[in-house]
Amino acid sequence: MPSADLSRLAALHGVATSYSPSPDRTVAASVTAVTRALAALGVDAGTPEAVRAALAARERERAERLLPPTVVGWGTGVPPALAALPGGTLLLVRTEQGETRPSAENLPPGVHRVTATAPDGRTGEAHLIVAPPGLPAPPARSYGLLVQLYSLLSRRSWGMGDLADLGELADWAGRTLGAGFVQINPLHAAVPGPPTDPSPYRPSSRRFPDPVHLRIEDVPEFAYLSESKGEGAGAGVEGAEGRARLEGPLRRAAELREAVLDKGALIDRDAVWAAKKAALEAVVDEVPLGPGRLAAYRDFLAEQGQALEDHATWCALAEVHGPAWHTWPAPLRDPRSPGTARARRELAARVDFHSRLAWLTDTQLTAVQRTAREAGMPLGIVHDLAVGVHPEGSDAWAQQDTLAAGMSVGAPPDAFNARGQDWGLPPWRPDRLAACGYAPFRALLQALFRYAGALRIDHVMGLFRLWWVPRGLPPTEGTYVRYDAEAMLAVLVLEASRAGAVVIGEDLGTVEPGVRETLRERGVYGTSVLWFERDWEGDGRPLPPETWRADCLATVTTHDLPPTASRLTGEHVGLRDGLGLLTRPLAEEHAEAAADTAEWLDLLTRLGLLHGHGTDGTVSTRADGTAATEEEARIQAVHRYLLRTPARMIGVWLPDGVGDRRPQNLPGTWDQYPNWRLPVADAQGRPVTLEDLTASPRLRALLDVVRTRTDRPGGAEGTGGGSNTSTVDSADGADGADRADAPGRT
């Protein structure tokens, strides 16, 4: 048990000395975890004497300071921290807009600087974040598609789904079926391989997207290399040489596409990137930018500034020394060292190449969002923000001053995982974030909101606290470290409101009391998954649809869970058994899964949502006159259940529309299962192209169910519907406790 002095010191730095895996149980954090977390915050707590000295220094600093490093205000009122200053304190506010004001009243939204001078002569200066009181709700109730972009291959893609495929899907879904959004996986830049970590949730950089998602043919300069004749930048001998350089990548692209779609191969991200990189090098080397394009590129460089230069420099250095920057020559491990500056000059061409790729990817992402909005989608593309970055990636290299050295983000032991989880992601230091006015977080959000109609935040509880695991220790030996949630939320609301974007928090699993209420107050939506919406503190039965919360994205499944067909048939149990993931006998797991399914089917039948059971294995017909199977009817029924809830956003997992059985990610596995490498497939495991998806009667029938009812929340099908203003106080309370079947993460 931590001593009283250590506990007090830890509390003053936001480090927890205990945690509650369930409402009726409290576990003490180990002294090692607490002292190492403090050490990562720059506090020596290695001996009782050091603890007493650090405690005295911290208490003295807090007593003497006039202002904390960052102050938060909501709306036009005076921020509470400024209102609490001693009487007679003089203020000077320098606004983001360039004004100087003697008062903190009626300030415009932004990140300002405030200087306070107290009557006793003390002074203080702080960042002042002023945000709107909250985000507005989405313009109307809508439904959308959920898909992992890499899995969405068209007959034009290069072996994995790309941004042109995403644009085509959004254009089709918006214009033809009235969809309001398409939600995708994080498109953050990955740490290059081979092998590249295929998980989109362990990126090299969260601020810059990965050029592996580019549609090469949509790069304007590509046309000058691919044309067989003509005048201008691609013509003549240079054009011929450039076209010759494209032959290999184009041939390889066709081979990769055919291997995945026709021969059962897994998606090979490294091979796809090798082909695209070779093609992009040919384009950049052989075709100069025109005057207008060059001006736009230079504007992008100026706008992104040091952050892009750092990212591109890391990419160039990784090509020479490998991606693990901790193993680079010592001078290169510091992004600000003279050695790094010299290497940047020597590798200027490669730094420019990687900067160009960031620009090209940004332009295609922006074009996709524009396409989605022009197709009638009120939100467009919902992008995903991973909870952290790879410790060897470009963000970890460039932001060493704001990351906690020797620490990794994870999750404590709970009913779902008794050993806890270590995600291998270095956390931000809350003290350094506050000291710089949350500049890295602001820059990250600004970058993502450039092309996002909405943003899903993975593990949104991380805005409040994160489980820090000291390097070399198991996840059980970690502890929670708290962040200034008010400041994090103020930055989030400020940047989202500037972009006119919606924010969705992934709040599944263990959520401490008050978090959901705070998020709701600021207009941040939650995530509700059908299988988990039960009365966990009562009889454990499914929550009536009218008691769900309205401010959420409601789905049947996610990328971390079995597709609906697999869950309804119990096939997911066999998959986990074959991989050795079950903790109980197979028969017991099967029986529990069957009972769960039977309970849901009974409820769907009683609510009149499961239409037309047949005796020959078919029920009803699709719009094109073909027969729909009983499995399809059940999948449609669970989506009708979502429509009965007041949820303002309804998400349909796209693979559910064609009967896919395979989860895209199976938590608890690494190389035992092909996580993040599977194309969308039908019930037999045959890959389904984007062209086939949009022509699928089965998918169309499911989306017809959703789109014709989305605008009528509550009571849209059958009888006994709920109210559009219903909330889920009972669900919130249940979700605040541990849920044994909540999805984990790798």
Side-chain angles (χ1 to χ4, degrees), residues 72-272:
V72 174
W74 298 96
T76 58
V78 176
L82 300 182
L85 290 170
T89 298
L90 300 178
L91 295 180
L92 180 66
V93 179
R94 293 178 291 277
T95 71
E96 181 184 284
Q97 294 77 13
E99 300 177 286
T100 300
R101 300 189 181 190
S103 168
E105 290 184 301
N106 299 314
L107 289 173
V111 180
H112 316 304
R113 292 289 288 177
V114 58
T115 301
T117 304
D120 61 6
R122 287 182 299 154
T123 62
E125 188 171 4
H127 301 275
L128 172 54
I129 303 172
V130 177
L135 292 170
R141 194 186 205 211
S142 63
Y143 88 95
L145 306 176
L146 282 55
V147 66
Q148 301 282 286
L149 178 56
Y150 59 82
S151 72
L152 183 71
L153 281 74
S154 71
R155 286 289 176 184
R156 294 179 177 177
S157 55
W158 286 32
M160 62 182 283
D162 60 31
L163 292 173
D165 295 326
L166 177 59
E168 291 282 2
L169 177 69
D171 212 3
W172 169 77
R175 295 181 186 277
T176 305
L177 296 172
F181 60 91
V182 176
Q183 178 180 303
I184 55 175
N185 54 286
L187 302 186
H188 309 318
V191 176
T196 296
D197 186 339
S199 172
Y201 293 94
R202 272 171 60 86
S204 172
S205 173
R206 294 189 294 174
R207 177 164 177 174
F208 295 102
D210 199 310
V212 75
H213 302 109
L214 283 168
R215 171 64 63 85
I216 303 299
E217 294 87 342
D218 286 354
V219 175
E221 289 72 33
F222 176 86
Y224 293 101
L225 282 182
S226 60
E227 288 177 351
S228 60
K229 60 182 179 179
E231 299 179 355
V237 176
E238 292 183 358
E241 292 176 352
R243 289 191 295 275
R245 291 178 64 179
L246 282 180
E247 291 178 1
L250 290 172
R251 181 172 58 253
R252 184 61 174 143
E255 293 170 352
L256 291 168
R257 179 171 58 245
E258 181 183 4
V260 174
L261 294 178
D262 302 325
K263 298 181 179 180
L266 297 175
I267 293 169
D268 188 340
R269 181 192 179 105
D270 289 329
V272 172

Side-chain angles (χ1 to χ4, degrees), residues 436-588:
C436 66
Y438 295 82
F441 188 42
R442 286 169 16 222
L444 170 60
L445 294 174
Q446 289 165 3
L448 291 170
F449 283 133
R450 287 171 62 89
Y451 41 74
L455 183 64
R456 174 191 180 269
I457 299 183
D458 189 43
H459 193 67
V460 72
M461 298 81 78
L463 299 179
F464 295 76
R465 64 178 185 177
L466 284 171
W467 183 256
W468 286 19
V469 181
R471 182 182 298 146
L473 296 182
T476 53
E477 293 295 308
T479 190
Y480 276 114
V481 175
R482 190 161 295 281
Y483 292 77
D484 185 343
E486 187 175 36
M488 299 285 278
L489 279 173
V491 171
L492 178 61
V493 170
L494 173 64
E495 298 303 339
S497 63
R498 285 171 161 170
V502 170
V503 178
I504 304 160
E506 184 270 290
D507 56 352
L508 302 173
T510 301
V511 184
E512 64 177 323
V515 167
R516 284 197 175 93
E517 293 77 9
T518 300
L519 293 172
R520 180 187 301 128
E521 178 187 1
R522 299 304 176 194
V524 177
Y525 271 35
T527 301
S528 293
V529 178
L530 180 135
W531 310 111
F532 303 145
E533 292 299 316
R534 290 176 173 271
D535 183 6
W536 298 105
E537 292 184 342
D539 58 14
R541 298 182 64 82
L543 288 171
E546 64 271 13
T547 65
W548 283 39
R549 52 184 171 175
D551 48 349
C552 74
L553 168 62
T555 70
V556 176
T557 190
T558 74
H559 60 269
D560 279 333
L561 296 173
T564 306
S566 177
R567 182 178 284 271
L568 290 173
T569 58
E571 293 177 33
H572 65 298
V573 177
L575 174 62
R576 293 180 61 84
D577 178 61
L579 295 170
L581 298 177
L582 298 184
T583 58
R584 296 180 298 170
L586 176 60
E588 188 176 332

Side-chain angles (χ1 to χ4, degrees), residues 274-607:
K276 290 190 175 185
K277 183 180 179 182
L280 288 164
E281 287 172 337
V283 169
V284 171
D285 290 347
E286 304 291 342
V287 184
L289 294 173
R293 294 269 292 164
L294 181 59
Y297 175 46
R298 287 173 173 168
D299 283 349
F300 181 78
L301 292 176
E303 183 178 2
Q304 299 302 314
Q306 185 69 57
L308 177 57
E309 187 174 88
D310 286 343
H311 175 66
T313 299
W314 181 91
C315 292
L317 289 171
E319 291 177 331
V320 177
H321 301 286
W325 64 266
H326 285 97
T327 66
W328 291 355
L332 301 182
R333 298 173 202 166
D334 179 0
R336 303 290 169 256
S337 73
T340 297
R342 183 168 53 253
R344 183 182 295 116
R345 291 191 297 271
E346 294 169 351
L347 298 171
R350 297 306 295 175
V351 172
D352 181 71
F353 174 71
H354 290 290
S355 298
R356 180 90 65 93
L357 299 193
W359 173 59
L360 292 174
T361 312
D362 181 89
T363 58
Q364 288 197 9
L365 282 162
T366 303
V368 169
Q369 174 63 5
R370 183 169 58 249
T371 295
R373 297 300 293 269
E374 290 174 352
M377 290 187 167
L379 294 180
I381 308 303
V382 181
H383 284 271
D384 198 347
L385 175 61
V387 70
V389 295
H390 196 288
E392 296 292 355
S394 71
D395 282 1
W397 176 71
Q399 299 178 11
Q400 296 174 54
D401 57 335
T402 56
L403 295 175
M407 290 289 155
S408 175
V409 174
D414 56 22
F416 181 76
N417 192 329
R419 293 174 294 182
Q421 300 177 56
D422 183 347
W423 305 332
L425 310 171
W428 267 329
R429 283 182 55 165
D431 58 330
R432 295 284 175 82
L433 284 178
C436 66
Y438 295 82
F441 188 42
R442 286 169 16 222
L444 170 60
L445 294 174
Q446 289 165 3
L448 291 170
F449 283 133
R450 287 171 62 89
Y451 41 74
L455 183 64
R456 174 191 180 269
I457 299 183
D458 189 43
H459 193 67
V460 72
M461 298 81 78
L463 299 179
F464 295 76
R465 64 178 185 177
L466 284 171
W467 183 256
W468 286 19
V469 181
R471 182 182 298 146
L473 296 182
T476 53
E477 293 295 308
T479 190
Y480 276 114
V481 175
R482 190 161 295 281
Y483 292 77
D484 185 343
E486 187 175 36
M488 299 285 278
L489 279 173
V491 171
L492 178 61
V493 170
L494 173 64
E495 298 303 339
S497 63
R498 285 171 161 170
V502 170
V503 178
I504 304 160
E506 184 270 290
D507 56 352
L508 302 173
T510 301
V511 184
E512 64 177 323
V515 167
R516 284 197 175 93
E517 293 77 9
T518 300
L519 293 172
R520 180 187 301 128
E521 178 187 1
R522 299 304 176 194
V524 177
Y525 271 35
T527 301
S528 293
V529 178
L530 180 135
W531 310 111
F532 303 145
E533 292 299 316
R534 290 176 173 271
D535 183 6
W536 298 105
E537 292 184 342
D539 58 14
R541 298 182 64 82
L543 288 171
E546 64 271 13
T547 65
W548 283 39
R549 52 184 171 175
D551 48 349
C552 74
L553 168 62
T555 70
V556 176
T557 190
T558 74
H559 60 269
D560 279 333
L561 296 173
T564 306
S566 177
R567 182 178 284 271
L568 290 173
T569 58
E571 293 177 33
H572 65 298
V573 177
L575 174 62
R576 293 180 61 84
D577 178 61
L579 295 170
L581 298 177
L582 298 184
T583 58
R584 296 180 298 170
L586 176 60
E588 188 176 332
E589 295 274 1
H590 265 307
E592 182 177 291
D596 181 81
T597 299
E599 183 178 33
W600 275 104
L601 293 176
D602 177 67
L603 176 59
L604 296 171
T605 301
R606 285 189 286 107
L607 292 176

